[in-house]
Amino acid sequence: MTDPAEHAPVHPDYPVRTKRLSLRPVRADDLDAIHAHRSLPEVARYLPHEPHTREDTQRTLERMIAGEALAEPGDWLDLAVETESGRVVGEVLLKRDDRAPLTGEIGFAFHPDVHGTGIATEAVTAALDVAFDSFGWHRVTGVCFVENTASAALMRRVGMRHESVSRQDVHRKGSWRHSSRFAVLAADWRRPRPRSADERAVDAAATAFYAAFTRRGGEAVALDGARAVIAPDAVIERVAEDGTVDRMDVEQFLAPRLVLLNGAELTEFTEIEVASTTLVAAGTATRSGEYFKWGVRNGIPFSAWGRKTFRLGNHSGRWLIDSLIWADEPEP
């Protein structure tokens, strides 16, 4: 049987054009533009390297230019993302898998200036078109650290499914990091299943709930976002390590957390949902998920995992949390 990978093209027809962008191979004169984002701490935070020096970027650029095609399994193709004005605002990368050549991985990095503009979504969508339509790939994966909520949201936006969380599977910058894996199949890319309006509303309620508990830089927290998505008569339960259940109403749940979040002990706190399943039927929804939280307590960083299950109801067109049960895993 002929291996289909033997006849697959090794690069698309350049440039790859979208409504606002062009994707093309990186060039030597892209040095300043690429260094502009690779040198930023907020970008390098989720990349394998520290913020680049100009010499670092120069060496990276030389490697990129040397690999302008996916000729061999394991090759990387780095495409510059260029706007209509000619500015390079980021990179999209495709890697051909070295074990299954008709599968691959996508990666990306963008200058913070274009966050919130849809540029990243447009560029990553175009790169996935290249992977499936030009290269004929069967499956594309994407991996990010669990804390990298922006990249996770981008991969979900373009239709990639969250498949797994791997705990402490990568050692980066002096510590073991947790990673999330996303993937999309060629069949799903061409015929995606749209999420219903109810599913999107449940997603929004869960996102608002988790986001309400964020505290950065000692700023004040109000928890208004959580109150807005919890029904006034909701029942909330916490499962302790010994299996006992502590039941509380909304204010019994929120009041002590408001004190803790605004106190001097806890100066940084973030909690995110890293995996979830949602079932909507007959005006009710069940949302079960795994969450990861991290912060700084008494000047010492900490992190922990846990699970939450929401029961939501449709209250005159608004999806609200009617009950919540959760269990924290013991902190290491």
Side-chain angles (χ1 to χ4, degrees):
M1 181 179 295
T2 301
D3 183 353
E6 293 178 0
H7 304 287
V10 297
H11 60 73
D13 293 329
Y14 297 122
V16 177
R17 298 190 185 277
T18 71
K19 183 177 181 180
R20 296 179 291 170
L21 306 170
S22 294
L23 275 60
R24 56 159 176 81
V26 173
R27 302 189 304 246
D29 60 358
D30 293 326
L31 175 60
D32 289 341
I34 291 176
H35 183 63
H37 61 262
R38 283 187 173 255
S39 61
L40 296 175
E42 61 265 41
V43 175
R45 177 183 179 188
Y46 298 121
L47 296 177
H49 56 72
E50 298 294 342
H52 266 185
T53 65
R54 191 174 178 81
E55 291 72 23
D56 291 333
T57 306
Q58 178 68 57
R59 287 191 293 269
T60 299
L61 195 65
E62 290 169 358
R63 289 195 297 271
M64 293 176 183
I65 293 171
E68 289 190 3
L70 297 178
E72 300 293 337
D75 283 353
W76 277 99
L77 174 65
D78 195 299
L79 301 177
V81 178
E82 186 176 63
T83 65
E84 293 173 304
S85 66
R87 180 190 172 196
V88 172
V89 295
E91 311 153 51
V92 180
L93 304 91
L94 292 170
K95 181 184 180 182
R96 187 175 168 189
D97 195 284
D98 57 0
R99 296 161 299 177
L102 286 183
T103 68
E105 181 178 345
I106 191 166
F108 44 83
F110 294 92
H111 196 286
D113 284 355
V114 300
H115 290 177
T117 65
I119 292 290
T121 301
E122 190 171 329
V124 171
T125 299
L128 287 170
D129 282 338
V130 168
F132 292 122
D133 297 334
S134 295
F135 295 154
W137 285 1
H138 168 69
R139 170 182 163 92
V140 179
T141 60
V143 181
C144 66
F145 295 135
V146 293
E147 304 98 319
N148 191 352
T149 54
S151 289
L154 171 55
M155 287 188 276
R156 286 190 173 97
R157 261 196 319 276
V158 300
M160 301 181 76
R161 293 188 183 186
H162 184 260
E163 291 194 336
S164 65
V165 173
S166 298
R167 300 195 188 186
Q168 296 188 6
D169 65 325
V170 178
H171 194 270
R172 288 285 186 273
K173 301 176 183 178
S175 64
W176 286 98
R177 309 287 294 275
H178 316 287
S179 60
S180 288
R181 181 174 295 274
F182 296 78
V184 59
L185 300 177
D188 295 333
W189 183 247
R190 298 185 181 101
R191 295 185 297 276
R193 185 189 75 84
R195 291 180 68 75
S196 70
D198 287 338
E199 288 175 316
R200 293 195 301 271
V202 170
D203 289 344
T207 298
F209 177 88
Y210 282 103
F213 296 89
T214 300
R215 189 185 196 193
R216 294 194 178 97
E219 64 186 7
V221 177
L223 295 186
D224 292 342
R227 285 192 173 88
V229 295
I230 303 177
D233 58 350
V235 175
I236 301 172
E237 297 176 318
R238 175 181 178 272
V239 181
E241 290 182 36
D242 62 3
T244 59
V245 177
D246 181 18
R247 177 173 292 189
M248 60 201 87
D249 62 25
V250 176
E251 286 308 312
Q252 289 172 331
F253 169 68
L254 292 178
R257 284 155 185 82
L258 188 62
V259 172
L260 177 63
L261 286 167
N262 288 317
E265 177 185 344
L266 192 65
T267 54
E268 299 278 342
F269 184 78
T270 304
E271 184 174 282
I272 60 172
E273 188 179 50
V274 297
S276 66
T277 57
T278 300
L279 178 64
V280 180
T284 63
T286 301
R287 172 80 163 219
S288 298
E290 185 176 25
Y291 61 86
F292 179 60
K293 60 184 179 180
W294 69 95
V296 178
R297 184 172 51 223
N298 292 325
I300 301 172
F302 72 93
S303 64
W305 294 79
R307 293 185 176 274
K308 279 189 175 75
T309 297
F310 301 96
R311 184 80 169 181
L312 301 95
N314 192 327
H315 296 252
S316 302
R318 294 182 62 222
W319 284 94
L320 299 177
I321 298 168
D322 289 324
S323 65
L324 161 63
I325 184 168
W326 92 95
D328 289 316
E329 294 185 7
E331 292 183 23

